Amino acid sequence: MYSEEHNVFREAFRNFVKKELSPHVDEWEANGAIPRDVWKKMGAEWYLCPWLPEEFGGSEADFLYSVIIAEELIKGGAVSLMTPLHSDIIAPYISHLGNAEQKIKWLPGSASGDIVLAVAMTEPDTGSDLAGMRTHAERDGDDYVINGAKTFITNGIHADLVIVACRTDKDAKGTKGLSLICVERDTPGFTKGKKLEKMGLCASDTAELFFDDCRVPVANLLGEENRGFYYLMEYLQQERLMCSLQSLAMAEKMLELTLAYTKERKQFGKPICSFQHNAFKIVEMMTDIKLGRAFIDNLILKHMRNENVVDEVSMAKAWTGEMANKMAYQCVQLHGGYGFMDEYPISRYYRDVRPFSIFAGTTEIMKQIVAKNMGLM
Ligand SMILES: Cc1cc2nc3c(=O)[nH]c(=O)nc-3n(C[C@H](O)[C@H](O)[C@H](O)COP(=O)(O)OP(=O)(O)OC[C@H]3O[C@@H](n4cnc5c(N)ncnc54)[C@H](O)[C@@H]3O)c2cc1C
């Protein structure tokens, strides 16, 4: 499915990661942050939002270029650099729902790295059940006045523009009456809480956001008022597909590291991969990867043909997230004590892969979606 151009691009991006990103990951993880200029560096090389039209600073690249970027960031160890979320999950909301003014205001900066994007759905009391969202935006003349709090927001500290899911119709119940409103950095009443400390993805910035009589112009509404939940569901297909292929890329990388280690490491006079128990374990993991690769590549192609693959993508998100986490456990086990040491990369992948079965909808919620669509619930 990849053309020669895609392969050349992969090689070029892999070299960029090797030269510009991988050597700095340890320092970023230790500092708990990725410097802002990394975003600009990515933007300068057209590695942010590559699919955007040229007029907005993109190169009109197909979705496979985004897939390549997401995979190679993971393979190069820069899992914490959340540019795929920015480029392929959040910028599409602006591109698809934004009016001409919004697009020209925010998209070129998103492609250059001058504007970092975040999306804020989760609240302290509302995670899986988005219908329970309490952050609300009341209309006052030509403004919305937003009050509420969001948590676990990726890119939260760096963010220059946050798409905030708010309740705009206080009488509406459940998933009705929600809207997507863009809030810019430095808007009075909008504050960022502390950067949250995490067990993995330590360099990625995850923050709480607070809205206290935060006044934004009605012109910052994305799409139509009260259609927010519908939009979130519509664009979650790409978000969950991205997460699935990232989980798979992590599994591939973990197995690659483990194969190299177990061929090298000897005990009882033999490489540890040659003990039948370990060899069979490795074969089972390789089988999972081959199955996952066939499934995900097929979904990528269907998604590129604009097919509705919500159910299959939900299955993929659940399956790859769990598979990669199980693989992380097995791969650390095969590394023995060295697998527990920070100096071995498998240890970081083990920690970084954990939230892939949690964010963008947990494994359980993915199964719930499919079960409902199958008429089981
Ligand atoms: C690193 C990280 C980054 C994130 N980035 C963002 C972001 O950028 N923007 C954003 O809006 N959010 C973000 N999130 C939040 C993430 O989307 C939520 O954590 C996730 O949706 C789960 O919500 P919760 O944590 O409140 O868990 P809960 O909803 O409280 O769930 C707890 C457990 O109960 C289970 N559960 C809940 N309901 C059911 C049910 N009906 N049936 C069976 N089991 C159920 C869940 O599966 C889970 O196992 C991020 C989270 C993490 C960890």
Side-chain angles (χ1 to χ4, degrees):
M1 66 193 210
Y2 292 99
S3 67
E4 193 46 36
E5 282 87 5
H6 291 119
N7 295 336
V8 168
F9 177 82
R10 187 186 287 277
E11 200 51 39
F13 185 62
R14 188 177 287 165
N15 284 335
F16 173 85
V17 173
K18 203 168 156 191
K19 194 161 153 257
E20 303 288 346
L21 307 180
S22 305
H24 307 289
V25 171
D26 284 350
E27 185 194 333
W28 298 340
E29 292 281 315
N31 294 342
I34 295 176
R36 195 46 210 266
D37 67 1
V38 175
W39 290 79
K40 300 264 287 180
K41 224 175 246 181
M42 291 275 291
E45 300 285 340
W46 284 281
Y47 295 142
L48 296 177
C49 310
W51 52 271
L52 272 175
E54 282 178 21
E55 61 176 313
F56 298 126
S59 37
E60 302 191 13
D62 64 40
F63 183 60
L64 291 178
Y65 288 87
S66 297
V67 171
I68 291 169
I69 291 172
E71 287 179 350
E72 293 302 323
L73 284 174
I74 283 175
K75 302 271 168 96
V79 189
S80 285
L81 182 56
M82 290 292 173
T83 59
L85 173 75
H86 162 100
S87 298
D88 305 299
I89 294 169
I90 311 178
Y93 283 104
I94 302 172
S95 172
H96 297 155
L97 300 173
N99 56 36
E101 209 175 303
Q102 292 170 330
K103 288 188 201 181
I104 201 68
K105 190 168 176 200
W106 295 317
L107 289 178
S110 304
S112 66
D114 289 297
I115 295 178
V116 171
L117 303 171
V119 62
M121 298 179 250
T122 308
E123 301 183 355
D125 296 325
T126 304
S128 300
D129 182 15
L130 286 177
M133 210 176 279
R134 287 210 226 139
T135 298
H136 58 277
E138 267 189 55
R139 188 78 187 250
D140 182 26
D142 287 339
D143 294 335
Y144 283 114
V145 180
I146 307 177
N147 279 286
K150 298 286 178 180
T151 194
F152 303 154
I153 307 308
T154 303
N155 299 339
I157 302 283
H158 275 328
D160 301 290
L161 185 75
V162 186
I163 299 177
V164 185
C166 312
R167 195 164 285 287
T168 34
D169 179 352
K170 58 179 184 312
D171 299 324
K173 296 268 176 291
T175 56
K176 299 203 172 75
L178 300 176
S179 300
L180 303 182
I181 299 176
C182 297
V183 179
E184 291 174 288
R185 169 190 284 279
D186 299 331
T187 304
F190 170 36
T191 50
K192 296 172 175 189
K194 60 178 184 330
K195 179 183 169 294
L196 299 169
E197 299 299 327
K198 308 186 292 299
M199 69 186 266
L201 298 177
C202 297
S204 96
D205 92 64
T206 310
E208 295 170 294
L209 306 178
F210 302 101
F211 305 90
D212 188 12
D213 285 334
C214 171
R215 192 172 277 273
V216 297
V218 170
N220 284 19
L221 174 73
L222 269 189
E224 289 174 39
E225 198 179 64
N226 299 331
R227 300 257 301 157
F229 190 78
Y230 166 83
Y231 296 141
L232 289 175
M233 293 304 111
E234 193 176 347
Y235 298 113
L236 278 174
Q237 173 165 307
Q238 180 150 314
E239 172 166 4
R240 288 170 181 165
L241 181 55
M242 288 302 290
C243 284
S244 307
L245 66 93
Q246 287 174 301
S247 293
L248 179 63
M250 293 188 84
E252 287 171 342
K253 181 68 188 186
M254 289 189 285
L255 188 55
E256 181 194 315
L257 292 168
T258 304
L259 267 175
Y261 181 81
T262 55
K263 282 182 181 172
E264 187 72 25
R265 172 80 173 167
K266 290 197 175 81
Q267 288 296 292
F268 301 97
K270 290 166 69 180
I272 54 172
C273 67
S274 67
F275 301 117
Q276 192 188 50
H277 175 83
N278 296 344
F280 283 12
K281 216 189 245 183
I282 290 169
V283 170
E284 282 168 14
M285 291 193 284
M286 186 57 92
T287 308
D288 277 343
I289 280 174
K290 296 281 180 201
L291 285 169
R293 183 44 71 192
F295 188 24
I296 296 299
D297 283 353
N298 185 255
L299 282 180
I300 290 170
L301 293 174
K302 286 182 173 176
H303 180 67
M304 289 173 74
R305 292 196 297 263
N306 289 324
E307 290 180 33
N308 180 339
V309 281
V310 166
D311 278 359
E312 286 159 281
V313 164
S314 305
M315 291 177 202
K317 163 85 175 60
W319 187 81
T320 54
E322 295 297 321
M323 180 273 286
N325 270 285
K326 280 181 212 139
M327 192 163 299
Y329 177 87
Q330 303 280 19
C331 288
V332 168
Q333 190 69 17
L334 282 164
H335 276 73
Y338 292 98
F340 194 61
M341 300 297 142
D342 277 354
E343 120 186 48
Y344 281 75
I346 192 65
S347 135
R348 184 176 296 148
Y349 281 104
Y350 177 88
R351 288 181 277 117
D352 286 352
V353 78
R354 190 63 195 87
F356 282 80
S357 62
I358 297 173
F359 52 34
T362 63
T363 297
E364 294 72 26
I365 295 305
M366 294 303 99
K367 290 179 183 171
Q368 191 184 64
I369 291 169
V370 181
K372 277 188 179 161
N373 290 342
M374 287 174 71
L376 305 175
M377 297 171 77

